[in-house]
Amino acid sequence: FELPKNDPQYAIKARHLGFNINDNSSNSRDIVRKDFQIPKAYKEKKVKEAFSFLRVLHAQGNEFLIISSADGLRLEDIPPLSIRNETNVLTSLAVSATKSLKKFETTLDFDNNLLKNEEEYPKYGNKRNAILMRRGEKEVLTFYVNLMKICIQLFKMKFKDLKNKIRKDKRFKDNDSPLMQYINHVVIPLVQRQSN
């Protein structure tokens, strides 16, 4: 992920993200870019760090004031700022995940079908393990594409309607699932805050 050089708050955001850049430089070393390899679970430190980085990248106006005025706030601790900001964060993740998925020669469904053939790909075999690893990467990438699609719809709801949907929809039954971790820690508080 990269902070656009034309961002009006480029220098201050770069410093907040831990980059030491020169305000008036066009030096390529002054590019604010960071790659992340993250699991699905929102509670993981790497995931929170990636979300925090993107929240700073997409912060505008009062959102950035919240970040810059907080004492002792570490990069992995930046909370959800607004529905607008979080929508941009999720969109960035989904776009990046989609680009990564397109680099694979095969689909997730293709890998799942290969793994059904235990004669060709026996358990504990090297070929099977390689497919399992590739499939795992695709599952994480697909998760972030779907997370964006689901949560952007949830962000549009009134708090009361959101609570009813979560209670009735079977996708939201497992509170320990990565989807529900994110919904409980991010979506519900943001929608509730907007409703107040």
Side-chain angles (χ1 to χ4, degrees):
F1 301 102
E2 186 174 319
L3 177 61
K5 279 280 225 183
N6 64 352
D7 187 306
Q9 297 171 317
Y10 184 84
I12 193 167
K13 285 182 180 181
R15 281 193 290 277
H16 192 77
L17 291 168
F19 290 82
N20 188 14
I21 62 122
N22 183 348
D23 290 352
N24 300 319
S25 172
S26 60
N27 191 334
S28 65
R29 290 186 320 225
D30 289 345
I31 293 173
V32 175
R33 179 185 297 142
K34 190 156 183 181
D35 295 325
F36 293 94
Q37 186 173 3
I38 58 175
K40 293 189 266 186
Y42 183 73
K43 63 185 175 186
E44 296 291 327
K45 183 180 180 200
K46 285 182 177 184
V47 176
K48 287 189 174 192
E49 190 176 308
F51 271 84
S52 293
F53 185 89
L54 288 168
R55 287 173 182 144
V56 172
L57 239 58
H58 293 291
Q60 294 179 354
N62 291 342
E63 296 165 348
F64 196 72
L65 289 175
I66 293 168
I67 295 168
S68 58
S69 66
D71 285 337
L73 194 62
R74 296 187 322 261
L75 181 57
E76 68 269 11
D77 291 336
I78 295 172
L81 301 170
S82 70
I83 288 175
R84 185 210 61 79
N85 180 272
E86 204 68 19
T87 297
N88 287 338
V89 167
L90 289 172
T91 301
S92 289
L93 279 169
V95 166
S96 180
T98 300
K99 286 179 184 175
S100 294
L101 281 167
K102 287 181 179 179
K103 291 178 183 176
F104 287 102
E105 293 178 9
T106 61
T107 65
L108 179 58
D109 288 337
F110 182 84
D111 289 349
N112 286 331
N113 284 330
L114 287 180
L115 292 169
K116 290 176 185 175
N117 183 349
E118 289 189 23
E119 284 184 34
E120 182 72 26
Y121 305 100
K123 288 188 180 186
Y124 313 113
N126 287 341
K127 287 182 358 184
R128 182 179 193 81
N129 288 339
I131 295 168
L132 285 169
M133 286 186 64
R134 182 178 67 204
R135 180 184 73 172
E137 289 182 39
K138 292 175 188 176
E139 286 173 338
V140 171
L141 294 168
T142 301
F143 170 77
Y144 283 106
V145 171
N146 292 333
L147 182 69
M148 184 265 307
K149 291 175 184 175
I150 292 167
C151 292
I152 285 179
Q153 293 307 311
L154 296 178
F155 282 142
K156 295 175 183 177
M157 302 177 85
K158 294 188 182 321
F159 183 62
K160 182 180 175 184
D161 297 332
L162 174 64
K163 284 177 28 180
N164 286 334
K165 176 143 185 94
I166 290 170
R167 193 174 65 249
K168 293 177 182 176
D169 192 318
K170 65 181 178 189
R171 294 178 296 175
F172 308 126
K173 292 298 178 210
D174 180 6
N175 257 343
D176 294 326
S177 73
L179 173 62
M180 282 310 295
Q181 285 177 23
Y182 183 79
I183 288 172
N184 285 327
H185 288 94
V186 178
V187 176
I188 291 172
L190 284 176
V191 172
Q192 186 174 22
R193 189 185 322 158
Q194 183 173 289
S195 295
N196 291 339

